[in-house]
Amino acid sequence: ASFWEGAKWSRGRERTSGKKESSLLKLSCDKALNLLGWRAAMPFGETVALTSEWYKTYYAKRGRADMERYAVGQIESYIEKAVERGIPWAAGRAK
């Protein structure tokens, strides 16, 4: 909630239909790292701030269609940061 004043986290009642949820989920990004040379362009905190901004804008506009333009702008900003920070997957993408 540090990126969105007044935001609160709550969990609703869980409906699992009797199935157990795994207590540990593991995702592997090995292929992205090895085959694509993927590296994140932003540290975690910056990523959370960007995501929070998207949701704040979405709810302020009540989901209007111009959110696509907003999202594309965020993606372009992300790529620019990757280029500035010399991240390999972004090489050759400078404007």
Side-chain angles (χ1 to χ4, degrees):
S2 63
F3 296 107
W4 190 344
E5 188 175 324
K8 294 182 181 172
W9 174 265
S10 68
R11 287 178 60 172
R13 287 185 21 203
E14 294 181 26
R15 297 179 215 171
T16 60
S17 303
K19 298 177 185 173
K20 289 191 174 191
E21 177 77 31
S22 176
S23 61
L24 176 64
L25 299 175
K26 288 180 142 185
L27 300 175
S28 175
C29 57
D30 292 346
K31 285 185 180 179
L33 294 171
N34 296 326
L35 300 175
L36 303 175
W38 176 261
R39 263 188 45 216
M42 299 185 299
F44 182 74
E46 217 174 314
T47 303
V48 171
L50 188 74
T51 303
S52 296
E53 284 302 316
W54 188 93
Y55 277 100
K56 282 194 281 190
T57 303
Y58 176 82
Y59 285 111
K61 295 179 179 281
R62 293 179 176 41
R64 290 199 319 248
D66 53 353
M67 284 308 297
E68 180 179 353
R69 192 173 355 169
Y70 185 82
V72 168
Q74 282 193 320
I75 292 166
E76 289 170 351
S77 175
Y78 182 84
I79 292 170
E80 286 174 18
K81 288 177 192 254
V83 169
E84 290 168 7
R85 295 171 182 177
I87 295 177
W89 62 259
R93 295 181 186 255
K95 289 182 179 179

